[in-house]
Coordinates of all heavy atoms in Angstrom, one line a residue:
M247 N 1.6 -17.4 -0.9 CA 0.3 -17.6 -0.2 C -0.7 -18.2 -1.2 O -0.9 -17.7 -2.3 CB -0.2 -16.3 0.4 CG -1.5 -16.4 1.1 SD -1.5 -17.6 2.5 CE -3.3 -17.7 2.8
P248 N -1.4 -19.3 -0.8 CA -2.4 -19.8 -1.6 C -3.6 -18.9 -1.7 O -3.8 -18.0 -0.8 CB -2.8 -21.1 -0.9 CG -2.4 -20.9 0.5 CD -1.2 -20.0 0.5
H249 N -4.4 -19.1 -2.6 CA -5.7 -18.4 -2.7 C -6.6 -19.0 -1.7 O -6.8 -20.2 -1.6 CB -6.3 -18.5 -4.1 CG -7.6 -17.9 -4.2 ND1 -7.8 -16.5 -4.3 CD2 -8.9 -18.4 -4.3 CE1 -9.1 -16.3 -4.4 NE2 -9.8 -17.4 -4.4
V250 N -7.3 -18.1 -0.9 CA -8.2 -18.6 0.2 C -9.6 -18.0 -0.1 O -9.7 -16.8 -0.3 CB -7.7 -18.1 1.6 CG1 -8.7 -18.5 2.6 CG2 -6.3 -18.7 1.8
H251 N -10.6 -18.8 0.0 CA -12.0 -18.4 -0.2 C -12.9 -19.2 0.7 O -12.8 -20.4 0.8 CB -12.4 -18.6 -1.7 CG -13.9 -18.3 -1.9 ND1 -14.3 -17.0 -2.0 CD2 -15.0 -19.0 -2.1 CE1 -15.6 -16.9 -2.2 NE2 -16.0 -18.2 -2.3
Y252 N -13.7 -18.4 1.5 CA -14.6 -19.1 2.4 C -16.1 -19.0 1.9 O -16.5 -17.9 1.6 CB -14.5 -18.4 3.8 CG -15.4 -19.1 4.8 CD1 -15.2 -20.4 5.3 CD2 -16.5 -18.4 5.3 CE1 -16.0 -21.0 6.2 CE2 -17.4 -19.1 6.3 CZ -17.1 -20.3 6.7 OH -17.9 -21.0 7.6
E253 N -16.7 -20.1 1.8 CA -18.1 -20.1 1.4 C -19.0 -20.3 2.7 O -19.0 -21.4 3.3 CB -18.4 -21.3 0.5 CG -17.6 -21.2 -0.8 CD -17.7 -22.4 -1.7 OE1 -18.3 -23.4 -1.3 OE2 -17.1 -22.4 -2.8
T254 N -19.7 -19.3 3.0 CA -20.4 -19.2 4.3 C -21.5 -20.3 4.3 O -21.7 -21.0 5.3 CB -21.1 -17.8 4.5 OG1 -20.0 -16.9 4.4 CG2 -21.8 -17.7 5.8
E255 N -22.3 -20.4 3.3 CA -23.5 -21.3 3.3 C -23.0 -22.8 3.5 O -23.7 -23.5 4.2 CB -24.3 -21.1 2.0 CG -25.6 -21.9 2.0 CD -26.4 -21.6 0.8 OE1 -26.7 -20.4 0.6 OE2 -26.9 -22.5 0.2
S256 N -22.0 -23.2 2.8 CA -21.6 -24.6 2.9 C -20.5 -24.8 3.9 O -20.1 -25.9 4.2 CB -21.0 -25.0 1.5 OG -19.9 -24.3 1.2
R257 N -20.1 -23.7 4.6 CA -19.0 -23.8 5.6 C -17.8 -24.5 5.0 O -17.2 -25.4 5.6 CB -19.5 -24.5 6.9 CG -20.5 -23.6 7.6 CD -21.0 -24.4 8.8 NE -22.4 -24.7 8.5 CZ -23.1 -25.6 9.1 NH1 -22.6 -26.4 10.0 NH2 -24.3 -25.8 8.7
R258 N -17.4 -24.0 3.9 CA -16.2 -24.6 3.1 C -15.1 -23.5 3.0 O -15.4 -22.5 2.5 CB -16.7 -25.1 1.8 CG -15.6 -25.8 1.0 CD -16.1 -26.2 -0.4 NE -17.1 -27.2 -0.2 CZ -17.2 -28.3 -0.9 NH1 -16.3 -28.6 -1.9 NH2 -18.1 -29.2 -0.7
L259 N -13.9 -23.9 3.4 CA -12.8 -23.1 3.2 C -12.0 -23.7 2.0 O -11.5 -24.8 2.1 CB -11.9 -23.0 4.5 CG -10.6 -22.3 4.4 CD1 -10.9 -20.8 4.2 CD2 -9.8 -22.5 5.7
R260 N -12.0 -22.9 0.9 CA -11.3 -23.4 -0.3 C -9.9 -22.8 -0.4 O -9.7 -21.6 -0.3 CB -12.1 -23.1 -1.5 CG -13.4 -23.8 -1.7 CD -14.0 -23.4 -3.0 NE -15.3 -24.0 -3.2 CZ -15.5 -25.1 -3.8 NH1 -14.5 -25.8 -4.3 NH2 -16.7 -25.6 -3.9
L261 N -8.9 -23.7 -0.5 CA -7.5 -23.3 -0.7 C -7.1 -23.7 -2.1 O -7.5 -24.8 -2.6 CB -6.6 -23.9 0.3 CG -6.9 -23.6 1.7 CD1 -6.0 -24.4 2.6 CD2 -6.8 -22.2 2.1
A262 N -6.3 -22.9 -2.8 CA -5.8 -23.2 -4.1 C -4.4 -22.7 -4.3 O -4.0 -21.7 -3.7 CB -6.7 -22.5 -5.2
G263 N -3.6 -23.5 -5.0 CA -2.2 -23.1 -5.2 C -1.3 -23.9 -4.3 O -1.7 -24.9 -3.7
D264 N -0.1 -23.4 -4.1 CA 0.9 -24.0 -3.2 C 0.7 -23.6 -1.8 O 0.5 -22.4 -1.5 CB 2.3 -23.7 -3.6 CG 2.7 -24.3 -5.0 OD1 2.0 -25.2 -5.4 OD2 3.7 -23.8 -5.5
V265 N 0.8 -24.5 -0.8 CA 0.7 -24.2 0.6 C 2.0 -24.6 1.2 O 2.2 -25.8 1.5 CB -0.5 -24.8 1.3 CG1 -0.5 -24.4 2.8 CG2 -1.8 -24.5 0.6
L266 N 3.0 -23.7 1.3 CA 4.3 -24.1 1.7 C 4.7 -23.6 3.1 O 3.8 -22.9 3.8 CB 5.3 -23.4 0.7 CG 5.0 -23.8 -0.8 CD1 5.9 -23.0 -1.7 CD2 5.2 -25.3 -1.0
D267 N 5.9 -23.9 3.6 CA 6.3 -23.5 4.9 C 6.1 -22.0 5.2 O 5.7 -21.6 6.3 CB 7.7 -23.9 5.2 CG 7.8 -25.4 5.4 OD1 6.8 -26.1 5.6 OD2 9.0 -25.9 5.3
D268 N 6.4 -21.2 4.2 CA 6.3 -19.7 4.3 C 4.8 -19.3 4.5 O 4.6 -18.2 4.9 CB 6.9 -19.0 3.1 CG 8.4 -19.2 3.0 OD1 9.0 -19.6 4.0 OD2 8.9 -18.9 1.9
D269 N 3.9 -20.1 4.1 CA 2.5 -19.8 4.2 C 1.8 -20.3 5.5 O 0.6 -20.1 5.7 CB 1.7 -20.4 3.0 CG 2.3 -20.0 1.7 OD1 2.6 -18.8 1.5 OD2 2.5 -20.9 0.8
L270 N 2.6 -20.9 6.4 CA 2.0 -21.6 7.6 C 1.3 -20.6 8.5 O 0.2 -20.9 8.9 CB 3.1 -22.3 8.3 CG 2.6 -23.3 9.4 CD1 1.5 -24.2 8.9 CD2 3.7 -24.0 10.1
A271 N 1.8 -19.4 8.7 CA 1.2 -18.4 9.6 C -0.2 -18.0 9.0 O -1.2 -17.9 9.7 CB 2.1 -17.2 9.8
D272 N -0.2 -17.8 7.7 CA -1.4 -17.4 7.0 C -2.5 -18.5 7.0 O -3.7 -18.3 7.2 CB -1.2 -17.0 5.6 CG -0.4 -15.7 5.5 OD1 -0.5 -14.8 6.4 OD2 0.4 -15.6 4.5
L273 N -2.0 -19.8 6.9 CA -2.9 -20.9 6.9 C -3.5 -21.0 8.3 O -4.7 -21.2 8.5 CB -2.1 -22.2 6.6 CG -2.9 -23.5 6.7 CD1 -4.1 -23.6 5.8 CD2 -2.0 -24.7 6.5
R274 N -2.7 -20.9 9.3 CA -3.2 -21.0 10.7 C -4.2 -19.9 11.0 O -5.3 -20.2 11.6 CB -2.0 -20.8 11.7 CG -1.1 -22.0 11.8 CD 0.0 -21.8 12.7 NE 0.9 -22.9 12.6 CZ 1.7 -23.3 13.6 NH1 1.7 -22.7 14.7 NH2 2.5 -24.3 13.3
E275 N -4.0 -18.7 10.5 CA -4.9 -17.6 10.7 C -6.2 -17.9 10.0 O -7.3 -17.7 10.6 CB -4.3 -16.3 10.3 CG -5.2 -15.1 10.4 CD -4.6 -13.8 9.9 OE1 -3.4 -13.7 9.8 OE2 -5.4 -13.0 9.5
A276 N -6.2 -18.3 8.8 CA -7.4 -18.6 8.0 C -8.2 -19.7 8.6 O -9.4 -19.5 8.8 CB -7.0 -18.9 6.6
V277 N -7.6 -20.8 9.0 CA -8.3 -21.9 9.6 C -8.9 -21.5 10.9 O -10.1 -21.7 11.2 CB -7.4 -23.2 9.7 CG1 -8.1 -24.2 10.5 CG2 -7.0 -23.7 8.4
A278 N -8.1 -20.8 11.8 CA -8.6 -20.4 13.1 C -9.8 -19.4 12.9 O -10.8 -19.5 13.6 CB -7.5 -19.7 13.9
R279 N -9.7 -18.5 12.0 CA -10.8 -17.5 11.8 C -12.1 -18.2 11.3 O -13.2 -17.9 11.8 CB -10.4 -16.5 10.8 CG -11.4 -15.4 10.5 CD -11.0 -14.3 9.6 NE -9.6 -14.3 9.2 CZ -9.2 -14.3 8.0 NH1 -10.0 -14.2 7.0 NH2 -7.9 -14.3 7.7
F280 N -12.0 -19.1 10.4 CA -13.2 -19.7 9.8 C -13.7 -20.9 10.6 O -14.9 -21.2 10.5 CB -12.9 -20.1 8.4 CG -12.6 -18.9 7.5 CD1 -11.4 -18.8 6.9 CD2 -13.6 -17.9 7.3 CE1 -11.2 -17.6 6.1 CE2 -13.4 -16.8 6.6 CZ -12.2 -16.7 5.9
V281 N -12.9 -21.5 11.4 CA -13.4 -22.6 12.3 C -14.4 -22.0 13.3 O -15.4 -22.7 13.6 CB -12.2 -23.4 12.9 CG1 -11.9 -22.8 14.3 CG2 -12.6 -24.8 13.0
E282 N -14.2 -20.8 13.7 CA -15.1 -20.1 14.6 C -16.5 -19.8 13.9 O -17.5 -19.8 14.6 CB -14.5 -18.9 15.2 CG -13.3 -19.1 16.1 CD -13.6 -20.1 17.2 OE1 -14.7 -20.0 17.9 OE2 -12.8 -21.0 17.5
R283 N -16.5 -19.5 12.7 CA -17.7 -19.2 11.9 C -18.4 -20.5 11.5 O -19.6 -20.4 11.0 CB -17.3 -18.5 10.6 CG -16.8 -17.1 10.8 CD -16.6 -16.5 9.5 NE -16.2 -15.1 9.5 CZ -15.9 -14.4 8.4 NH1 -16.0 -15.0 7.2 NH2 -15.5 -13.2 8.6
S284 N -17.8 -21.6 11.6 CA -18.4 -22.8 11.0 C -19.5 -23.5 11.8 O -20.0 -24.5 11.3 CB -17.2 -23.8 10.8 OG -16.8 -24.3 12.0
E285 N -19.8 -23.1 13.0 CA -20.9 -23.7 13.8 C -20.7 -25.2 14.0 O -21.7 -26.0 13.9 CB -22.2 -23.4 13.1 CG -22.5 -21.9 13.0 CD -23.8 -21.6 12.2 OE1 -24.6 -22.5 12.0 OE2 -23.9 -20.5 11.8
G286 N -19.5 -25.6 14.3 CA -19.2 -27.0 14.6 C -18.7 -27.9 13.5 O -18.3 -29.0 13.8
H287 N -18.8 -27.5 12.2 CA -18.3 -28.3 11.1 C -17.7 -27.4 10.1 O -18.4 -26.5 9.5 CB -19.4 -29.2 10.5 CG -18.8 -30.0 9.4 ND1 -19.4 -30.1 8.2 CD2 -17.7 -30.8 9.3 CE1 -18.7 -30.9 7.4 NE2 -17.7 -31.3 8.1
L288 N -16.5 -27.6 9.8 CA -15.8 -26.9 8.7 C -15.2 -27.9 7.7 O -14.6 -28.9 8.1 CB -14.7 -26.0 9.3 CG -13.8 -25.2 8.2 CD1 -14.7 -24.2 7.5 CD2 -12.7 -24.6 8.9
M289 N -15.4 -27.6 6.4 CA -14.7 -28.4 5.4 C -13.6 -27.6 4.8 O -13.8 -26.4 4.4 CB -15.7 -28.8 4.3 CG -15.1 -29.6 3.2 SD -16.2 -30.1 1.9 CE -17.6 -30.8 2.9
V290 N -12.4 -28.1 4.8 CA -11.3 -27.5 4.2 C -11.0 -28.2 2.9 O -10.7 -29.4 2.8 CB -10.0 -27.5 5.1 CG1 -8.8 -26.8 4.4 CG2 -10.3 -26.9 6.4
D291 N -11.3 -27.5 1.8 CA -11.2 -28.1 0.4 C -9.8 -27.8 -0.1 O -9.5 -26.7 -0.4 CB -12.3 -27.4 -0.4 CG -12.4 -28.1 -1.8 OD1 -11.4 -28.7 -2.3 OD2 -13.4 -27.9 -2.5
L292 N -9.1 -28.9 -0.2 CA -7.7 -28.9 -0.7 C -7.6 -29.4 -2.2 O -6.5 -29.7 -2.6 CB -6.8 -29.7 0.2 CG -6.8 -29.2 1.7 CD1 -6.2 -30.3 2.6 CD2 -6.2 -27.9 1.8
T293 N -8.7 -29.6 -2.8 CA -8.6 -30.2 -4.2 C -7.9 -29.4 -5.2 O -7.5 -29.9 -6.2 CB -10.1 -30.6 -4.7 OG1 -10.9 -29.4 -4.7 CG2 -10.7 -31.6 -3.8
A294 N -7.8 -28.1 -5.0 CA -7.1 -27.2 -5.9 C -5.7 -26.8 -5.4 O -5.0 -26.0 -6.0 CB -7.9 -25.9 -6.2
V295 N -5.2 -27.5 -4.3 CA -3.9 -27.2 -3.8 C -2.9 -28.1 -4.6 O -3.1 -29.3 -4.8 CB -3.8 -27.6 -2.3 CG1 -2.4 -27.5 -1.8 CG2 -4.6 -26.6 -1.5
T296 N -1.9 -27.5 -5.1 CA -0.9 -28.2 -5.9 C 0.3 -28.7 -5.2 O 0.9 -29.7 -5.6 CB -0.4 -27.2 -7.0 OG1 0.1 -26.0 -6.4 CG2 -1.5 -26.9 -8.0
E297 N 0.6 -28.1 -4.0 CA 1.7 -28.6 -3.2 C 1.4 -28.3 -1.7 O 0.9 -27.2 -1.5 CB 3.0 -28.0 -3.6 CG 4.2 -28.6 -2.8 CD 5.5 -28.0 -3.3 OE1 5.6 -27.4 -4.4 OE2 6.5 -28.3 -2.6
L298 N 1.6 -29.2 -0.8 CA 1.3 -29.0 0.6 C 2.5 -29.4 1.4 O 3.0 -30.6 1.3 CB 0.1 -29.9 1.0 CG -0.4 -29.7 2.4 CD1 -1.0 -28.3 2.7 CD2 -1.4 -30.8 2.7
S299 N 3.1 -28.5 2.1 CA 4.4 -28.8 2.8 C 4.0 -29.7 4.0 O 2.9 -29.8 4.4 CB 5.0 -27.5 3.3 OG 4.3 -26.9 4.4
E300 N 5.1 -30.3 4.5 CA 4.9 -31.3 5.6 C 4.4 -30.5 6.9 O 3.5 -31.0 7.5 CB 6.3 -31.9 5.9 CG 6.2 -32.9 7.0 CD 7.6 -33.5 7.3 OE1 8.3 -33.8 6.3 OE2 7.9 -33.7 8.5
S301 N 4.9 -29.3 7.1 CA 4.4 -28.6 8.3 C 3.0 -28.1 8.1 O 2.2 -28.2 9.1 CB 5.3 -27.4 8.6 OG 5.4 -26.5 7.5
A302 N 2.5 -27.8 6.9 CA 1.1 -27.4 6.7 C 0.2 -28.6 6.8 O -0.8 -28.5 7.4 CB 1.0 -26.8 5.3
A303 N 0.6 -29.7 6.3 CA -0.1 -31.0 6.5 C -0.3 -31.3 7.9 O -1.4 -31.7 8.4 CB 0.5 -32.1 5.7
R304 N 0.8 -31.3 8.7 CA 0.8 -31.6 10.1 C -0.1 -30.7 10.8 O -0.9 -31.1 11.7 CB 2.2 -31.5 10.6 CG 2.4 -32.2 12.0 CD 3.9 -32.3 12.4 NE 4.7 -31.2 12.0 CZ 5.7 -31.2 11.1 NH1 5.9 -32.3 10.5 NH2 6.4 -30.2 10.9
H305 N -0.1 -29.4 10.5 CA -1.0 -28.4 11.2 C -2.5 -28.8 10.9 O -3.3 -28.8 11.8 CB -0.7 -27.0 10.7 CG -1.7 -26.0 11.3 ND1 -1.7 -25.7 12.6 CD2 -2.7 -25.3 10.7 CE1 -2.7 -24.8 12.8 NE2 -3.3 -24.6 11.6
L306 N -2.8 -29.1 9.7 CA -4.2 -29.4 9.4 C -4.7 -30.6 10.1 O -5.8 -30.7 10.6 CB -4.4 -29.5 7.8 CG -4.3 -28.2 7.0 CD1 -4.2 -28.5 5.6 CD2 -5.4 -27.3 7.4
V307 N -3.8 -31.6 10.2 CA -4.2 -32.9 10.9 C -4.3 -32.6 12.4 O -5.3 -33.1 13.0 CB -3.1 -34.0 10.6 CG1 -3.3 -35.1 11.5 CG2 -3.2 -34.4 9.2
E308 N -3.5 -31.7 12.9 CA -3.6 -31.4 14.4 C -4.9 -30.6 14.6 O -5.5 -30.9 15.6 CB -2.4 -30.5 14.8 CG -1.1 -31.3 14.9 CD 0.2 -30.5 15.0 OE1 0.0 -29.2 15.0 OE2 1.3 -31.0 15.1
V309 N -5.2 -29.7 13.8 CA -6.5 -29.0 13.9 C -7.7 -29.9 13.8 O -8.6 -29.8 14.6 CB -6.6 -27.8 12.9 CG1 -7.9 -27.2 12.9 CG2 -5.5 -26.8 13.2
R310 N -7.6 -30.8 12.9 CA -8.7 -31.8 12.8 C -8.9 -32.6 14.0 O -10.0 -32.8 14.6 CB -8.5 -32.7 11.6 CG -9.6 -33.7 11.4 CD -9.4 -34.6 10.2 NE -8.2 -35.4 10.4 CZ -7.6 -36.1 9.5 NH1 -8.1 -36.2 8.3 NH2 -6.5 -36.8 9.8
T311 N -7.8 -33.1 14.6 CA -7.8 -33.9 15.8 C -8.3 -33.0 17.0 O -9.1 -33.5 17.8 CB -6.4 -34.4 16.1 OG1 -5.9 -35.2 15.0 CG2 -6.3 -35.2 17.4
A312 N -7.8 -31.8 17.1 CA -8.3 -30.9 18.2 C -9.8 -30.6 18.1 O -10.5 -30.6 19.1 CB -7.5 -29.6 18.2
A313 N -10.2 -30.4 16.9 CA -11.7 -30.1 16.7 C -12.5 -31.3 17.1 O -13.5 -31.2 17.8 CB -11.9 -29.8 15.2
G314 N -12.1 -32.5 16.8 CA -12.8 -33.7 17.2 C -12.8 -33.9 18.7 O -13.8 -34.3 19.3
A315 N -11.7 -33.5 19.4 CA -11.7 -33.6 20.8 C -12.7 -32.6 21.5 O -13.1 -32.8 22.6 CB -10.3 -33.3 21.3
R316 N -13.0 -31.5 20.8 CA -14.0 -30.5 21.3 C -15.4 -30.8 20.8 O -16.2 -29.9 20.9 CB -13.5 -29.1 20.9 CG -12.2 -28.7 21.6 CD -11.9 -27.3 21.4 NE -12.3 -26.7 20.2 CZ -11.4 -26.4 19.2 NH1 -10.2 -26.6 19.3 NH2 -11.9 -25.8 18.1
G317 N -15.6 -31.9 20.2 CA -17.0 -32.2 19.7 C -17.3 -31.5 18.4 O -18.5 -31.4 18.0
R318 N -16.3 -31.0 17.7 CA -16.5 -30.3 16.4 C -15.9 -31.2 15.3 O -15.3 -32.2 15.6 CB -15.7 -29.0 16.3 CG -16.3 -28.0 17.3 CD -15.6 -26.7 17.2 NE -16.4 -25.7 17.8 CZ -16.2 -24.4 17.5 NH1 -15.3 -24.0 16.7 NH2 -17.0 -23.5 18.0
R319 N -16.2 -30.9 14.1 CA -15.8 -31.7 12.9 C -15.1 -30.8 11.9 O -15.6 -29.8 11.5 CB -16.9 -32.4 12.3 CG -16.5 -33.6 11.5 CD -17.7 -34.5 11.1 NE -18.2 -34.0 9.9 CZ -19.4 -34.2 9.4 NH1 -20.2 -35.0 10.1 NH2 -19.8 -33.8 8.3
L320 N -13.9 -31.3 11.5 CA -13.2 -30.6 10.4 C -12.8 -31.7 9.4 O -12.2 -32.6 9.7 CB -11.9 -29.9 11.0 CG -11.1 -29.1 9.9 CD1 -10.8 -27.7 10.5 CD2 -9.9 -29.8 9.5
T321 N -13.3 -31.5 8.2 CA -13.1 -32.4 7.1 C -12.1 -31.8 6.2 O -12.2 -30.7 5.8 CB -14.5 -32.6 6.3 OG1 -15.4 -33.1 7.2 CG2 -14.3 -33.6 5.2
L322 N -11.1 -32.7 5.8 CA -10.1 -32.3 4.9 C -10.4 -33.0 3.5 O -10.2 -34.2 3.4 CB -8.7 -32.7 5.4 CG -8.3 -32.1 6.7 CD1 -7.0 -32.7 7.2 CD2 -8.2 -30.6 6.6
L323 N -10.9 -32.2 2.6 CA -11.3 -32.7 1.3 C -10.1 -32.6 0.3 O -9.6 -31.5 0.2 CB -12.5 -32.0 0.8 CG -13.0 -32.4 -0.6 CD1 -13.6 -33.8 -0.5 CD2 -14.1 -31.4 -1.0
R324 N -9.7 -33.8 -0.2 CA -8.5 -33.7 -1.2 C -8.7 -34.8 -2.2 O -9.5 -35.8 -2.0 CB -7.2 -33.9 -0.4 CG -6.8 -35.3 0.0 CD -7.4 -35.6 1.3 NE -6.8 -36.8 1.9 CZ -6.9 -37.1 3.2 NH1 -7.5 -36.3 4.0 NH2 -6.3 -38.1 3.7
R325 N -7.9 -34.7 -3.3 CA -8.0 -35.8 -4.3 C -7.0 -36.9 -3.8 O -5.9 -36.7 -3.5 CB -7.5 -35.2 -5.6 CG -8.4 -34.1 -6.2 CD -7.8 -33.6 -7.5 NE -8.5 -32.4 -7.9 CZ -9.7 -32.3 -8.5 NH1 -10.4 -33.4 -8.7 NH2 -10.2 -31.2 -8.8
H326 N -7.6 -38.1 -3.9 CA -6.8 -39.3 -3.4 C -5.7 -39.6 -4.4 O -5.8 -39.4 -5.6 CB -7.7 -40.5 -3.2 CG -8.6 -40.3 -2.1 ND1 -8.2 -40.4 -0.8 CD2 -9.9 -39.9 -2.0 CE1 -9.2 -40.1 0.0 NE2 -10.3 -39.8 -0.7
G327 N -4.5 -40.0 -3.9 CA -3.4 -40.4 -4.7 C -2.5 -39.3 -5.2 O -1.6 -39.5 -6.0
T328 N -2.8 -38.1 -4.7 CA -2.0 -36.9 -5.1 C -1.0 -36.6 -4.0 O -1.0 -37.2 -2.9 CB -2.9 -35.6 -5.2 OG1 -3.5 -35.3 -3.9 CG2 -4.0 -35.9 -6.2
P329 N 0.0 -35.7 -4.3 CA 1.0 -35.4 -3.3 C 0.4 -34.7 -2.1 O 0.9 -34.9 -1.0 CB 1.9 -34.3 -4.1 CG 1.8 -34.7 -5.5 CD 0.4 -35.2 -5.7
V330 N -0.7 -34.0 -2.2 CA -1.4 -33.4 -1.1 C -2.0 -34.6 -0.2 O -1.9 -34.5 1.0 CB -2.6 -32.5 -1.5 CG1 -3.4 -32.0 -0.4 CG2 -1.9 -31.3 -2.2
D331 N -2.6 -35.5 -0.8 CA -3.2 -36.7 -0.1 C -2.0 -37.4 0.6 O -2.2 -37.8 1.8 CB -3.9 -37.6 -1.1 CG -4.5 -38.8 -0.4 OD1 -5.1 -38.7 0.7 OD2 -4.4 -39.9 -1.0
E332 N -0.9 -37.6 0.0 CA 0.2 -38.3 0.6 C 0.8 -37.5 1.8 O 1.1 -38.1 2.8 CB 1.3 -38.6 -0.5 CG 0.9 -39.6 -1.5 CD 0.5 -40.9 -0.9 OE1 1.2 -41.4 0.0 OE2 -0.5 -41.5 -1.4
A333 N 0.8 -36.2 1.6 CA 1.3 -35.4 2.7 C 0.4 -35.5 4.0 O 0.9 -35.6 5.1 CB 1.5 -33.9 2.3
L334 N -0.9 -35.5 3.7 CA -1.8 -35.6 4.8 C -1.8 -37.0 5.5 O -1.9 -37.1 6.7 CB -3.3 -35.3 4.3 CG -3.5 -33.8 4.0 CD1 -4.8 -33.6 3.3 CD2 -3.4 -32.9 5.2
R335 N -1.7 -38.0 4.6 CA -1.6 -39.4 5.2 C -0.3 -39.5 6.0 O -0.3 -40.1 7.1 CB -1.5 -40.4 4.0 CG -2.9 -40.6 3.4 CD -2.7 -41.6 2.3 NE -3.9 -41.6 1.5 CZ -4.6 -42.7 1.2 NH1 -4.2 -43.9 1.7 NH2 -5.6 -42.7 0.5
S336 N 0.8 -39.0 5.5 CA 2.0 -39.1 6.3 C 1.9 -38.3 7.6 O 2.4 -38.8 8.6 CB 3.2 -38.5 5.4 OG 4.4 -38.5 6.1
A337 N 1.3 -37.1 7.6 CA 1.2 -36.3 8.8 C 0.3 -37.1 9.8 O 0.6 -37.1 11.0 CB 0.6 -35.0 8.5
A338 N -0.8 -37.7 9.3 CA -1.7 -38.4 10.2 C -1.0 -39.7 10.8 O -1.1 -40.0 12.0 CB -2.9 -38.9 9.5
A339 N -0.1 -40.3 10.0 CA 0.6 -41.5 10.5 C 1.6 -41.2 11.5 O 1.9 -41.9 12.5 CB 1.2 -42.3 9.3
S340 N 2.3 -40.0 11.4 CA 3.3 -39.6 12.3 C 2.8 -38.9 13.5 O 3.6 -38.7 14.5 CB 4.4 -38.8 11.6 OG 3.8 -37.5 11.2
G341 N 1.6 -38.5 13.5 CA 1.0 -37.8 14.7 C 0.1 -38.6 15.5 O -0.1 -38.8 16.5

């Protein structure tokens, strides 16, 4: 399980470490819990994530899309050109 930290003031959910298939249930729970606290905008900071599984990337993209459909905003912050960025781009392109 990756390290999870929520910053209330900035409405930022920070994840660090590997986010793999085995972590998907925990990821879903964390995002669902904090999206309710975010007052319409949540930033998921993935800059310290070292590996992101395809299913975790797909879930984050789906949550971002669903949030947008409900008039909310979910930002996925990541370092461009990294495996995490590539996983998210692939998930967005296939969904």
Side-chain angles (χ1 to χ4, degrees):
M247 173 63 191
H249 175 74
V250 177
H251 177 74
Y252 182 69
E253 297 172 356
T254 306
E255 189 172 308
S256 63
R257 290 178 249 157
R258 181 182 297 224
L259 177 63
R260 291 184 183 267
L261 302 176
D264 294 342
V265 183
L266 306 174
D267 289 343
D268 293 344
D269 304 315
L270 190 55
D272 293 327
L273 174 65
R274 287 178 189 210
E275 180 183 333
V277 170
R279 181 173 355 125
F280 295 117
V281 92
E282 293 306 316
R283 292 182 177 178
S284 69
E285 301 174 16
H287 180 230
L288 175 66
M289 182 179 305
V290 180
D291 187 338
L292 303 167
T293 58
V295 171
T296 51
E297 185 176 349
L298 184 67
S299 73
E300 182 179 321
S301 60
R304 195 170 37 250
H305 174 69
L306 290 169
V307 169
E308 289 168 359
V309 170
R310 181 181 62 193
T311 301
R316 293 190 327 255
R318 294 181 161 202
R319 198 167 91 198
L320 185 129
T321 302
L322 301 174
L323 181 64
R324 77 275 195 161
R325 296 181 194 280
H326 292 283
T328 64
V330 170
D331 182 43
E332 293 302 318
L334 290 168
R335 285 178 192 235
S336 177
S340 68

